Amino acid sequence: MARYLDVHPDDPQPRLVAQAVDVLRGGGVIAYPTDSCYALGTTMGSAQGAERIRRLRHLDDKHHFTLVCADFAQLGQLVHLPNSAFRAIKAATPGPYTFILQATPEVPRRLAHAKKRSVGVRIPDHAVAQAIVRALGEPILSSSLLMPGHDWPMTEGWQIKEELDHELDAVVDAGDCGTTPTTVVDWTSDSPEVVREGAGDPDRFR
């Protein structure tokens, strides 16, 4: 059964954040809120956690996981930021955007795109997600909590707990955080390409 953590959305209780972090450090998988929708998360080092997320969402090995970062400095350790991207991405973060960029050696090879060596990164504008990733001290390997056959992500923590109780190790409930996933911008070439329109305004990258 998944541990259920009822966290304040604006002022997350450190004790409950620490419990979520303990689950992650133990190689577990959690559901947690972001500024776009709920996400599934594990640590970068947990190959088993990543495989559980793939299996849960029916994802193949071509799927881009997202590395959720606490700040721009942490993001910059994971991806190469060309001059053309640096200012635009910094201005858009934190926010509901995922950027696909060339990975640095800091990213385990199994987490990057097999051919492109790219990876998705983002900095969410959500107090709970920020508190968890800061307390963890490293990025969270994440994927939107959109289940196979569903048109929209689940938006209530109790619903996630009820439906995925035996698939997850913890559910961090901070109330409804919406159903719209991030806007995804591919910046693996010289200019950005909006590959998915979502919660972030895509026009700033066109």
Side-chain angles (χ1 to χ4, degrees):
M1 291 178 60
R3 188 180 303 183
Y4 182 74
L5 306 173
D6 189 4
V7 179
H8 193 283
D10 302 315
D11 189 19
Q13 304 92 317
R15 174 180 59 85
L16 298 181
V17 169
Q19 289 183 38
V21 169
D22 285 345
V23 170
L24 289 170
R25 286 181 177 152
V29 175
I30 69 171
Y32 71 102
T34 75
D35 54 349
S36 57
C37 59
Y38 274 88
L40 298 168
T42 191
T43 60
M44 289 198 302
S46 178
Q48 184 181 37
E51 183 54 36
R52 285 173 62 191
I53 293 174
R54 280 197 178 95
R55 190 171 63 246
L56 193 60
R57 287 204 52 206
H58 295 183
L59 302 171
D60 60 28
D61 57 5
K62 297 181 178 65
H63 175 73
H64 265 109
F65 277 107
T66 298
L67 299 177
V68 173
C69 304
D71 51 36
F72 199 73
Q74 193 175 68
L75 182 150
Q77 295 174 0
L78 302 171
V79 290
H80 295 289
L81 284 165
N83 291 335
S84 60
F86 183 90
R87 287 188 180 182
I89 292 176
K90 190 168 186 180
T93 55
Y97 294 93
T98 297
F99 299 98
I100 300 173
L101 292 148
Q102 297 295 322
T104 68
E106 294 287 320
V107 178
R109 184 168 292 275
R110 61 184 172 78
L111 300 181
H113 188 282
K115 292 182 179 179
K116 297 181 179 179
R117 274 293 295 159
S118 56
V119 71
V121 288
R122 69 171 300 222
I123 305 171
D125 188 15
H126 193 286
V128 176
Q130 283 278 345
I132 294 172
V133 74
R134 287 185 186 282
L136 181 63
E138 64 178 81
I140 302 174
L141 179 70
S142 292
S143 183
S144 298
L145 208 172
L146 179 60
M147 298 301 292
H150 290 213
D151 293 328
W152 303 99
M154 286 182 276
T155 62
E156 300 289 348
W158 62 265
Q159 179 191 19
I160 297 168
K161 162 76 169 165
E162 192 173 89
E163 294 197 24
L164 302 177
D165 199 20
H166 297 289
E167 303 287 350
L168 303 175
D169 300 295
V171 175
V172 182
D173 187 354
D176 190 333
C177 60
T179 60
T180 308
T182 58
T183 291
V184 179
V185 181
D186 187 327
W187 216 315
T188 53
S189 59
D190 291 337
S191 58
E193 178 188 359
V194 177
V195 295
R196 182 180 73 192
E197 293 191 14
D201 179 8
D203 289 341
R204 66 194 300 169
F205 296 102
R206 289 193 168 119

